[in-house]
């Protein structure tokens, strides 16, 4: 058995002090939103409870699908690197960026440089090269291939859209086909939900049709994402059958808000090529915010 834990939308806080230069950008809207809304419901203790419960389960790997930070300031990106190093080793932890990690121009490159060991594939050079495309990447861990895709781009104020490019679509299909030939269970990681209607228009994934075509052409066994801060399960048509697409609440969401409490997905993978079994558990912060509870436990593969 291979066990994969999945968290997303960490939004590490609190916000650092921002300079006037940092606020003279899209960050001013995020700054206002943080103080009016987000900070009221995102609690560090929620994230602590999530991570402690994951450690008790002793998963083989941890997948993080973006939005580690809020406004992508230099100090936030550095803090996120320190948090990653405390959370898990690069060998056992895979990350893809979210829109908040690429909040303004230049932030994406800084984040990828600082988090490089967590966002590079098995064959990617250890030294970060901003001219080299990091995504999609492939990481082989036991019977599993983790395919990391990036939908993170800097967007104008009041937009949180993502983008899945034609180049990334072509290369993702190649990686998925190669992993199938190797007999691996394929997990695709992306921040924005690649399902129509799963996110509001200003938060949607541009290129969602391309993603669907990749799944129909190359197939996969599981897609995981974040972005919406809700627990969700959708299905996409794939080359080898229907593919489960699982989202998860923000790992820092406290009780009492309008979004679901913090949680994580746990996937138990068994079987062999053509005969995979996938059991999905969802663990969620309890109403008191003092521990975790099991809120879902169901088989996803074989699909019935």
């Amino acid at each position: 058995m291979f066990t994969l834990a999945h968290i997303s939308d960490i939004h590490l806080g609190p916000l650092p002090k921002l300079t006037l230069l940092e606020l003279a950008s899209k960050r001013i809207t995020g700054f206002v939103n943080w103080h009016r809304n987000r900070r009221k419901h995102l609690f560090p203790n929620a994230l602590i409870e999530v991570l402690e419960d994951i450690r008790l389960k002793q998963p083989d790997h941890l997948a993080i699908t973006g939005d580690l930070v809020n406004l992508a300031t230099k100090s936030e990106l550095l803090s996120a690197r320190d948090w990653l190093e405390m959370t898990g080793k690069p060998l056992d932890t895979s990350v893809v960026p979210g829109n908040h990690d690429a909040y303004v121009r230049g932030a994406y490159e800084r984040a990828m440089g600082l988090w490089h060991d967590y966002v590079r594939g098995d064959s990617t050079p250890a030294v970060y090269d901003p001219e080299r495309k990091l995504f999609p990447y492939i990481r082989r861990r036991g019977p599993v291939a983790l395919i990391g895709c990036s939908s993170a781009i800097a967007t104008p104020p009041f937009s949180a859209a993502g983008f899945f490019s034609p180049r990334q679509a072509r290369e993702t299909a190649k990686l998925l086909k190669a992993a199938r030939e190797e007999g691996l269970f394929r997990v695709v990681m992306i921040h924005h939900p690649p399902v129509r209607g799963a996110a509001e228009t200003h938060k949607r994934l541009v290129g969602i049709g391309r993603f669907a075509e990749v799944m129909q052409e190359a197939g996969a066994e599981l897609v995981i994402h974040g972005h919406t801060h809700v627990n969700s399960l959708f299905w996409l048509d794939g080359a080898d059958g229907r593919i489960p697409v699982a989202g998860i609440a923000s790992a820092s969401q406290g009780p009492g808000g309008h979004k679901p409490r913090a949680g994580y997905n746990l996937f138990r993978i068994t079987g062999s090529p053509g005969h995979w079994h996938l059991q999905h558990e969802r663990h969620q912060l309890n109403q008191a915010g003092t521990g975790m509870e099991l809120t879902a436990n169901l088989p996803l593969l074989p699909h019935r």
Side-chain angles (χ1 to χ4, degrees), residues 122-196:
D122 293 336
S123 61
T124 306
V127 178
Y128 175 59
D129 179 0
E131 299 300 319
R132 183 187 179 98
K133 300 294 185 183
L134 286 174
F135 300 95
Y137 67 62
I138 183 169
R139 291 178 144 200
R140 297 169 178 85
R141 302 292 185 269
V144 172
L146 292 143
I147 313 290
C149 299
S150 175
S151 57
I153 54 170
T155 56
F158 309 108
S159 172
F163 183 60
F164 187 67
S165 70
R167 176 202 62 80
Q168 197 169 178
R170 290 191 302 270
E171 295 184 13
T172 299
K174 289 179 183 178
L175 292 178
L176 286 166
K177 290 177 181 178
R180 179 172 56 189
E181 290 297 315
E182 296 174 42
L184 298 174
F185 183 102
R186 299 160 298 168
V187 180
V188 179
M189 303 169 56
I190 191 167
H191 179 66
H192 290 75
V195 177
R196 296 188 188 279

Coordinates of all heavy atoms in Angstrom, one line a residue, residues 122-196:
D122 N 12.2 14.6 -10.8 CA 13.3 13.7 -10.6 C 14.5 14.1 -11.4 O 15.7 13.9 -11.0 CB 12.9 12.3 -10.8 CG 11.9 11.8 -9.8 OD1 11.8 12.3 -8.7 OD2 11.2 10.8 -10.2
S123 N 14.3 14.6 -12.6 CA 15.4 14.8 -13.5 C 15.7 16.3 -13.6 O 16.6 16.7 -14.4 CB 15.1 14.3 -14.9 OG 13.9 14.9 -15.5
T124 N 15.1 17.2 -12.9 CA 15.3 18.6 -12.9 C 16.6 18.9 -12.2 O 16.9 18.4 -11.1 CB 14.2 19.4 -12.3 OG1 13.0 19.0 -12.9 CG2 14.4 20.9 -12.4
P125 N 17.5 19.7 -12.8 CA 18.8 20.1 -12.1 C 18.5 20.7 -10.7 O 17.5 21.3 -10.4 CB 19.4 21.1 -13.0 CG 18.9 20.8 -14.3 CD 17.5 20.4 -14.1
A126 N 19.5 20.4 -9.8 CA 19.3 20.8 -8.4 C 19.4 22.3 -8.2 O 18.9 22.9 -7.3 CB 20.3 20.1 -7.5
V127 N 20.1 23.0 -9.1 CA 20.3 24.4 -9.1 C 19.2 25.1 -9.9 O 19.0 24.8 -11.1 CB 21.7 24.9 -9.6 CG1 21.8 26.4 -9.6 CG2 22.8 24.2 -8.8
Y128 N 18.4 26.0 -9.3 CA 17.3 26.6 -10.0 C 17.7 27.5 -11.1 O 18.7 28.4 -11.0 CB 16.5 27.5 -9.0 CG 15.4 28.3 -9.6 CD1 14.3 27.6 -10.3 CD2 15.3 29.7 -9.5 CE1 13.3 28.4 -10.8 CE2 14.3 30.4 -10.1 CZ 13.3 29.7 -10.7 OH 12.3 30.4 -11.3
D129 N 17.1 27.4 -12.3 CA 17.3 28.2 -13.5 C 16.0 28.8 -13.9 O 15.1 28.1 -14.3 CB 17.9 27.3 -14.6 CG 18.1 28.1 -15.9 OD1 17.9 29.4 -15.9 OD2 18.6 27.5 -16.9
P130 N 15.9 30.1 -13.7 CA 14.6 30.8 -14.0 C 14.2 30.7 -15.4 O 13.0 30.9 -15.8 CB 14.8 32.2 -13.5 CG 16.3 32.4 -13.5 CD 16.9 31.1 -13.1
E131 N 15.2 30.4 -16.3 CA 14.8 30.3 -17.7 C 14.3 28.9 -18.1 O 13.8 28.7 -19.2 CB 16.1 30.5 -18.5 CG 16.7 31.9 -18.4 CD 15.7 33.0 -18.7 OE1 15.0 32.9 -19.8 OE2 15.6 34.0 -18.0
R132 N 14.4 28.0 -17.2 CA 14.0 26.6 -17.4 C 12.6 26.4 -16.9 O 12.2 26.8 -15.8 CB 14.9 25.6 -16.7 CG 14.6 24.1 -17.0 CD 15.4 23.2 -16.1 NE 15.1 21.8 -16.3 CZ 15.8 21.0 -17.1 NH1 16.9 21.5 -17.8 NH2 15.4 19.7 -17.3
K133 N 11.7 25.8 -17.7 CA 10.3 25.5 -17.3 C 10.3 24.4 -16.3 O 10.8 23.3 -16.6 CB 9.5 25.1 -18.5 CG 9.4 26.2 -19.6 CD 8.7 27.4 -19.2 CE 8.5 28.4 -20.3 NZ 7.9 29.7 -19.9
L134 N 9.8 24.6 -15.1 CA 9.7 23.6 -14.1 C 8.5 22.7 -14.2 O 8.6 21.5 -13.8 CB 9.6 24.3 -12.7 CG 10.9 25.0 -12.2 CD1 10.5 25.7 -10.9 CD2 12.0 23.9 -11.9
F135 N 7.5 23.1 -14.9 CA 6.2 22.4 -14.9 C 5.8 22.1 -16.4 O 6.1 22.9 -17.3 CB 5.1 23.1 -14.3 CG 5.4 23.5 -12.8 CD1 5.9 24.7 -12.5 CD2 5.1 22.5 -11.8 CE1 6.2 24.9 -11.1 CE2 5.3 22.8 -10.5 CZ 5.9 24.0 -10.2
P136 N 5.3 20.9 -16.6 CA 5.0 19.8 -15.6 C 6.3 19.1 -15.2 O 7.2 19.0 -15.9 CB 4.0 18.9 -16.3 CG 4.5 19.0 -17.7 CD 4.9 20.4 -17.9
Y137 N 6.2 18.5 -14.0 CA 7.3 17.7 -13.5 C 6.8 16.3 -13.2 O 5.6 16.1 -13.0 CB 8.0 18.3 -12.3 CG 7.3 18.4 -11.0 CD1 6.8 17.3 -10.3 CD2 7.1 19.6 -10.4 CE1 6.1 17.3 -9.1 CE2 6.4 19.7 -9.2 CZ 5.9 18.6 -8.6 OH 5.2 18.7 -7.4
I138 N 7.7 15.3 -13.1 CA 7.3 14.0 -12.7 C 8.2 13.5 -11.5 O 9.4 13.7 -11.6 CB 7.3 13.0 -13.8 CG1 6.8 11.6 -13.3 CG2 8.7 12.9 -14.5 CD1 6.5 10.6 -14.5
R139 N 7.6 13.0 -10.5 CA 8.3 12.4 -9.4 C 7.8 11.0 -9.2 O 6.6 10.8 -9.0 CB 8.1 13.2 -8.1 CG 8.7 14.6 -8.1 CD 8.4 15.3 -6.8 NE 9.5 16.1 -6.4 CZ 9.7 16.6 -5.1 NH1 8.8 16.3 -4.2 NH2 10.7 17.3 -4.8
R140 N 8.7 10.0 -9.2 CA 8.3 8.6 -9.1 C 8.6 8.2 -7.6 O 9.7 8.3 -7.2 CB 9.1 7.8 -10.0 CG 8.8 8.1 -11.5 CD 9.8 7.4 -12.4 NE 9.5 7.6 -13.8 CZ 9.9 8.7 -14.5 NH1 10.7 9.6 -13.9 NH2 9.7 8.8 -15.8
R141 N 7.6 7.8 -6.9 CA 7.7 7.4 -5.5 C 7.0 6.0 -5.4 O 5.8 5.9 -5.4 CB 7.1 8.4 -4.6 CG 7.7 9.8 -4.7 CD 9.2 9.8 -4.2 NE 9.7 11.1 -4.2 CZ 10.4 11.7 -5.2 NH1 10.6 11.0 -6.3 NH2 10.9 12.9 -5.0
G142 N 7.8 4.9 -5.3 CA 7.2 3.6 -5.2 C 6.3 3.3 -6.4 O 6.8 3.5 -7.6
P143 N 5.1 2.9 -6.3 CA 4.2 2.6 -7.4 C 3.5 3.8 -8.0 O 2.7 3.7 -8.9 CB 3.2 1.6 -6.8 CG 3.0 2.1 -5.4 CD 4.4 2.6 -5.0
V144 N 3.9 5.0 -7.5 CA 3.1 6.2 -7.8 C 4.0 7.2 -8.6 O 5.2 7.4 -8.3 CB 2.6 6.9 -6.5 CG1 2.0 8.3 -6.8 CG2 1.6 6.0 -5.9
A145 N 3.4 7.8 -9.6 CA 4.0 8.9 -10.4 C 3.2 10.2 -10.0 O 2.0 10.3 -10.3 CB 4.0 8.7 -11.9
L146 N 3.9 11.2 -9.4 CA 3.3 12.5 -9.1 C 3.6 13.4 -10.3 O 4.8 13.7 -10.5 CB 3.8 13.0 -7.8 CG 3.4 12.2 -6.6 CD1 4.5 12.1 -5.6 CD2 2.1 12.8 -6.0
I147 N 2.6 13.9 -11.0 CA 2.7 14.8 -12.1 C 2.3 16.2 -11.6 O 1.1 16.4 -11.4 CB 1.9 14.4 -13.3 CG1 2.0 12.9 -13.6 CG2 2.2 15.3 -14.5 CD1 3.3 12.5 -14.1
G148 N 3.3 17.1 -11.5 CA 3.0 18.4 -11.0 C 2.8 19.4 -12.1 O 3.6 19.6 -12.9
C149 N 1.6 20.1 -12.1 CA 1.3 21.1 -13.1 C 1.1 22.4 -12.4 O 0.8 22.5 -11.2 CB 0.0 20.8 -13.8 SG 0.1 19.2 -14.8
S150 N 1.4 23.5 -13.1 CA 1.3 24.8 -12.5 C 0.2 25.6 -13.3 O 0.2 25.7 -14.5 CB 2.6 25.6 -12.6 OG 2.4 27.0 -12.1
S151 N -0.8 26.1 -12.5 CA -1.8 27.0 -13.1 C -1.6 28.4 -12.5 O -2.4 29.3 -12.7 CB -3.2 26.5 -12.7 OG -3.3 26.4 -11.3
A152 N -0.5 28.7 -11.8 CA -0.2 29.9 -11.1 C 0.3 31.0 -12.1 O 1.3 30.8 -12.7 CB 0.8 29.7 -10.0
I153 N -0.4 32.1 -12.1 CA 0.0 33.3 -12.9 C -0.4 34.6 -12.1 O -1.3 34.5 -11.3 CB -0.6 33.4 -14.3 CG1 -2.2 33.3 -14.2 CG2 -0.1 32.2 -15.2 CD1 -2.9 33.6 -15.5
A154 N 0.4 35.6 -12.4 CA 0.0 36.9 -11.8 C -1.2 37.5 -12.6 O -1.2 37.4 -13.8 CB 1.2 37.9 -11.9
T155 N -2.2 37.9 -11.9 CA -3.4 38.4 -12.5 C -3.8 39.8 -12.1 O -3.2 40.3 -11.1 CB -4.6 37.5 -12.2 OG1 -4.8 37.4 -10.8 CG2 -4.4 36.1 -12.8
P156 N -4.6 40.5 -12.8 CA -5.0 41.9 -12.4 C -5.8 41.8 -11.0 O -6.3 40.8 -10.6 CB -5.9 42.4 -13.5 CG -5.6 41.5 -14.7 CD -5.3 40.2 -14.1
P157 N -6.1 43.0 -10.4 CA -6.9 43.0 -9.2 C -8.3 42.4 -9.5 O -8.8 42.5 -10.6 CB -7.0 44.5 -8.9 CG -5.8 45.1 -9.5 CD -5.5 44.3 -10.8
F158 N -8.8 41.8 -8.4 CA -10.1 41.1 -8.5 C -10.2 39.9 -9.4 O -11.3 39.5 -9.7 CB -11.2 42.2 -8.8 CG -11.1 43.4 -8.0 CD1 -10.7 44.6 -8.6 CD2 -11.5 43.4 -6.6 CE1 -10.7 45.8 -7.8 CE2 -11.4 44.5 -5.9 CZ -11.0 45.7 -6.4
S159 N -9.0 39.4 -9.8 CA -9.0 38.2 -10.5 C -8.1 37.2 -9.8 O -7.1 37.5 -9.3 CB -8.5 38.4 -12.0 OG -8.2 37.2 -12.6
A160 N -8.5 35.9 -9.8 CA -7.7 34.8 -9.2 C -7.7 33.6 -10.2 O -7.7 32.5 -9.8 CB -8.3 34.4 -7.9
A161 N -7.7 33.9 -11.5 CA -7.7 32.9 -12.5 C -6.4 32.2 -12.6 O -5.4 32.7 -12.2 CB -8.1 33.5 -13.9
G162 N -6.5 31.0 -13.2 CA -5.2 30.3 -13.5 C -5.1 30.0 -15.0 O -6.0 30.3 -15.7
F163 N -4.0 29.4 -15.4 CA -3.8 29.2 -16.8 C -3.0 27.9 -17.0 O -2.0 27.6 -16.4 CB -2.9 30.3 -17.4 CG -2.7 30.2 -18.9 CD1 -3.7 30.2 -19.8 CD2 -1.4 30.2 -19.4 CE1 -3.5 30.1 -21.1 CE2 -1.2 30.1 -20.7 CZ -2.2 30.1 -21.6
F164 N -3.6 27.1 -17.9 CA -3.0 25.8 -18.3 C -2.6 25.9 -19.8 O -3.5 25.9 -20.6 CB -3.9 24.6 -18.0 CG -3.3 23.3 -18.2 CD1 -2.3 22.8 -17.4 CD2 -3.8 22.4 -19.3 CE1 -1.8 21.5 -17.6 CE2 -3.3 21.2 -19.5 CZ -2.3 20.7 -18.6
S165 N -1.4 26.1 -20.1 CA -0.9 26.4 -21.4 C -0.9 25.3 -22.4 O -0.8 24.1 -22.0 CB 0.5 27.0 -21.4 OG 1.4 26.0 -21.0
P166 N -0.9 25.5 -23.7 CA -0.8 24.4 -24.7 C 0.5 23.7 -24.5 O 0.6 22.4 -24.6 CB -0.8 25.2 -26.0 CG -1.6 26.4 -25.8 CD -1.2 26.8 -24.4
R167 N 1.6 24.3 -24.2 CA 2.9 23.6 -24.0 C 2.8 22.7 -22.8 O 3.2 21.5 -22.9 CB 4.1 24.7 -23.7 CG 5.4 24.0 -23.4 CD 6.3 24.9 -22.7 NE 5.8 25.4 -21.4 CZ 5.9 24.6 -20.3 NH1 6.4 23.4 -20.3 NH2 5.4 25.1 -19.2
Q168 N 2.3 23.2 -21.7 CA 2.1 22.4 -20.5 C 1.2 21.2 -20.8 O 1.5 20.1 -20.3 CB 1.7 23.2 -19.3 CG 1.9 22.5 -18.0 CD 1.7 23.4 -16.8 OE1 1.9 22.9 -15.7 NE2 1.4 24.6 -17.0
A169 N 0.2 21.4 -21.6 CA -0.7 20.3 -21.9 C 0.0 19.2 -22.7 O -0.2 18.0 -22.4 CB -1.9 20.8 -22.8
R170 N 0.8 19.6 -23.7 CA 1.5 18.6 -24.5 C 2.5 17.8 -23.6 O 2.6 16.6 -23.7 CB 2.3 19.3 -25.6 CG 1.4 19.9 -26.7 CD 2.3 20.3 -27.9 NE 3.3 21.3 -27.5 CZ 3.1 22.6 -27.6 NH1 1.9 23.1 -27.9 NH2 4.0 23.5 -27.3
E171 N 3.2 18.5 -22.8 CA 4.2 17.8 -22.0 C 3.6 17.0 -20.9 O 4.1 15.9 -20.5 CB 5.2 18.8 -21.4 CG 6.0 19.5 -22.5 CD 7.1 20.5 -22.0 OE1 7.3 20.4 -20.7 OE2 7.6 21.3 -22.7
T172 N 2.5 17.4 -20.3 CA 1.8 16.6 -19.3 C 1.3 15.3 -19.9 O 1.4 14.3 -19.3 CB 0.6 17.4 -18.8 OG1 1.0 18.6 -18.1 CG2 -0.2 16.6 -17.7
A173 N 0.8 15.4 -21.1 CA 0.3 14.2 -21.8 C 1.5 13.2 -22.0 O 1.3 12.0 -21.8 CB -0.3 14.5 -23.2
K174 N 2.6 13.7 -22.4 CA 3.8 12.8 -22.6 C 4.2 12.1 -21.3 O 4.5 10.9 -21.3 CB 5.0 13.6 -23.1 CG 4.8 14.1 -24.6 CD 6.0 15.0 -25.0 CE 5.8 15.5 -26.4 NZ 7.0 16.4 -26.8
L175 N 4.2 12.9 -20.2 CA 4.6 12.3 -18.9 C 3.6 11.3 -18.5 O 4.0 10.2 -17.9 CB 4.7 13.4 -17.9 CG 5.9 14.4 -18.0 CD1 5.8 15.5 -16.9 CD2 7.2 13.7 -18.0
L176 N 2.3 11.6 -18.7 CA 1.3 10.6 -18.3 C 1.4 9.3 -19.1 O 1.2 8.2 -18.5 CB -0.1 11.2 -18.4 CG -0.5 12.3 -17.4 CD1 -1.7 13.1 -17.8 CD2 -0.7 11.6 -16.0
K177 N 1.6 9.4 -20.3 CA 1.8 8.2 -21.2 C 3.0 7.4 -20.8 O 3.0 6.2 -20.7 CB 1.9 8.6 -22.7 CG 0.6 9.2 -23.2 CD 0.7 9.6 -24.7 CE -0.5 10.2 -25.2 NZ -0.4 10.7 -26.6
A178 N 4.1 8.1 -20.5 CA 5.3 7.4 -20.1 C 5.1 6.7 -18.8 O 5.5 5.6 -18.6 CB 6.5 8.4 -20.0
A179 N 4.4 7.4 -17.8 CA 4.2 6.7 -16.5 C 3.2 5.5 -16.7 O 3.4 4.5 -15.9 CB 3.5 7.8 -15.6
R180 N 2.3 5.6 -17.6 CA 1.4 4.4 -17.8 C 2.2 3.3 -18.3 O 2.0 2.1 -17.9 CB 0.3 4.8 -18.8 CG -0.6 3.6 -19.1 CD -1.8 4.0 -19.9 NE -1.5 4.7 -21.1 CZ -2.3 5.3 -21.9 NH1 -3.6 5.3 -21.6 NH2 -1.9 5.9 -23.0
E181 N 3.2 3.5 -19.2 CA 4.0 2.5 -19.8 C 4.9 1.9 -18.7 O 5.2 0.7 -18.7 CB 4.9 3.0 -20.9 CG 4.2 3.4 -22.2 CD 3.5 2.2 -22.8 OE1 4.2 1.2 -22.9 OE2 2.3 2.3 -23.2
E182 N 5.2 2.6 -17.7 CA 6.0 2.1 -16.6 C 5.2 1.4 -15.5 O 5.7 0.8 -14.6 CB 6.7 3.3 -15.9 CG 7.8 4.0 -16.8 CD 8.4 5.2 -16.1 OE1 8.7 5.1 -14.8 OE2 8.5 6.2 -16.7
G183 N 3.9 1.4 -15.7 CA 3.0 0.7 -14.8 C 2.7 1.4 -13.5 O 2.5 0.8 -12.5
L184 N 2.8 2.8 -13.5 CA 2.7 3.6 -12.3 C 1.2 4.1 -12.2 O 0.5 4.4 -13.1 CB 3.7 4.7 -12.3 CG 5.1 4.3 -12.4 CD1 6.0 5.6 -12.5 CD2 5.5 3.6 -11.1
F185 N 0.8 4.3 -10.9 CA -0.4 4.9 -10.6 C -0.2 6.4 -10.7 O 0.7 7.0 -10.0 CB -0.8 4.6 -9.1 CG -2.1 5.1 -8.7 CD1 -3.3 4.3 -8.7 CD2 -2.3 6.4 -8.3 CE1 -4.5 4.8 -8.2 CE2 -3.5 7.0 -7.9 CZ -4.6 6.1 -7.8
R186 N -0.9 7.1 -11.6 CA -0.6 8.5 -11.9 C -1.5 9.5 -11.2 O -2.7 9.4 -11.3 CB -0.8 8.7 -13.4 CG 0.2 7.8 -14.2 CD -0.3 7.6 -15.7 NE -1.6 7.0 -15.7 CZ -2.3 6.9 -16.8 NH1 -1.9 7.5 -17.9 NH2 -3.5 6.2 -16.8
V187 N -0.9 10.4 -10.4 CA -1.6 11.4 -9.7 C -1.2 12.8 -10.3 O 0.0 13.1 -10.3 CB -1.2 11.4 -8.2 CG1 -2.0 12.5 -7.4 CG2 -1.5 10.1 -7.6
V188 N -2.2 13.6 -10.7 CA -1.9 14.9 -11.3 C -2.2 15.9 -10.2 O -3.3 15.9 -9.6 CB -2.7 15.1 -12.5 CG1 -2.5 16.6 -13.1 CG2 -2.4 14.1 -13.6
M189 N -1.3 16.8 -10.0 CA -1.4 17.9 -9.0 C -1.6 19.2 -9.7 O -0.8 19.5 -10.6 CB -0.2 18.0 -8.1 CG 0.1 16.7 -7.3 SD 1.7 16.8 -6.5 CE 1.5 18.3 -5.5
I190 N -2.6 20.0 -9.4 CA -2.8 21.3 -9.9 C -3.5 22.2 -8.9 O -4.3 21.6 -8.1 CB -3.5 21.3 -11.3 CG1 -3.4 22.6 -12.0 CG2 -4.9 20.8 -11.1 CD1 -3.9 22.5 -13.5
H191 N -3.4 23.5 -9.0 CA -4.0 24.3 -7.9 C -5.5 24.6 -8.3 O -6.4 24.3 -7.5 CB -3.3 25.7 -7.8 CG -3.9 26.6 -6.8 ND1 -4.0 26.3 -5.4 CD2 -4.6 27.8 -6.9 CE1 -4.6 27.2 -4.8 NE2 -5.0 28.1 -5.6
H192 N -5.8 25.1 -9.5 CA -7.1 25.4 -9.8 C -7.9 24.2 -10.2 O -7.3 23.3 -10.9 CB -7.2 26.4 -11.0 CG -6.7 27.8 -10.7 ND1 -5.3 28.1 -10.5 CD2 -7.3 28.9 -10.5 CE1 -5.2 29.4 -10.2 NE2 -6.4 29.9 -10.2
P193 N -9.2 24.1 -9.8 CA -9.9 22.9 -10.2 C -10.1 22.8 -11.7 O -10.6 23.7 -12.3 CB -11.3 23.1 -9.5 CG -11.4 24.6 -9.2 CD -10.0 25.0 -9.1
P194 N -9.7 21.6 -12.3 CA -9.8 21.5 -13.8 C -11.2 21.0 -14.2 O -11.3 20.1 -15.1 CB -8.7 20.5 -14.1 CG -8.7 19.6 -12.9 CD -9.0 20.5 -11.7
V195 N -12.2 21.5 -13.6 CA -13.6 21.0 -13.9 C -14.5 22.2 -14.1 O -14.5 23.2 -13.3 CB -14.1 20.2 -12.7 CG1 -15.6 19.8 -13.0 CG2 -13.3 19.0 -12.5
R196 N -15.2 22.3 -15.1 CA -16.1 23.4 -15.4 C -17.1 23.6 -14.3 O -17.8 22.7 -13.9 CB -16.8 23.2 -16.8 CG -15.8 23.2 -18.0 CD -16.6 23.2 -19.3 NE -15.7 23.0 -20.4 CZ -14.9 23.9 -20.9 NH1 -15.0 25.1 -20.5 NH2 -14.1 23.6 -22.0

